[in-house]
Amino acid sequence: MTRYFLICIAFVISGCGTISPRSDAKNWAGYKESGKASYYANSHQSKKTASGELYKQELKTGAHKVLPFGSLVKVTNVDNAKTVIVKINDRGPFVKGRVIDLSKSAFSEISSISNGVIDVQIEVIE
């Protein structure tokens, strides 16, 4: 199966239809969502993201199911109030309850990598 087909299936299963589509990042400003965040495994390094950019773990980037590529999102760890700003450049996560996947460096700014998955609130700032 192609990656595109799997992504389409994941959208249907995850129930993303409840999020109203908006055409660009500016229309999403102020949008908030809470849930779990995880980070990309080392095996993703230098692989192409859904936006066409290569994943680089040292950059502050993230994956979201529907936010427009290029959106700037403030991610707050609800346990310690630490925040990081990431640019959305990929699609995902496709695990129930997860709202965002973060690059390794972004995740490490708000939590220890050993935690693996954390509770977050995300807010689109641009």
Side-chain angles (χ1 to χ4, degrees), residues 11-87:
F11 275 119
V12 171
I13 292 171
S14 68
C16 301
T18 60
I19 298 175
S20 61
R22 303 178 192 185
S23 61
D24 60 36
K26 290 183 184 190
N27 290 334
W28 285 89
Y31 172 80
K32 294 180 181 180
E33 191 175 0
S34 295
K36 305 273 186 192
S38 53
Y39 66 93
Y40 286 81
N42 291 337
S43 61
H44 291 279
Q45 181 69 5
S46 299
K47 292 190 178 172
K48 196 179 278 193
T49 64
S51 69
E53 296 177 17
L54 296 182
Y55 169 70
K56 299 199 179 293
Q57 64 186 6
E58 66 274 9
L59 299 178
K60 306 297 187 271
T61 58
H64 190 273
K65 293 177 190 95
V66 296
L67 291 176
F69 296 136
S71 297
L72 295 181
V73 177
K74 179 171 80 169
V75 181
T76 303
N77 179 334
V78 298
D79 290 333
N80 62 19
K82 290 183 178 181
T83 65
V84 65
I85 307 287
V86 299
K87 180 180 88 170

Side-chain angles (χ1 to χ4, degrees), residues 2 9 82 99 121:
T2 67
I9 294 297
K82 290 183 178 181
V99 296
Q121 179 173 352

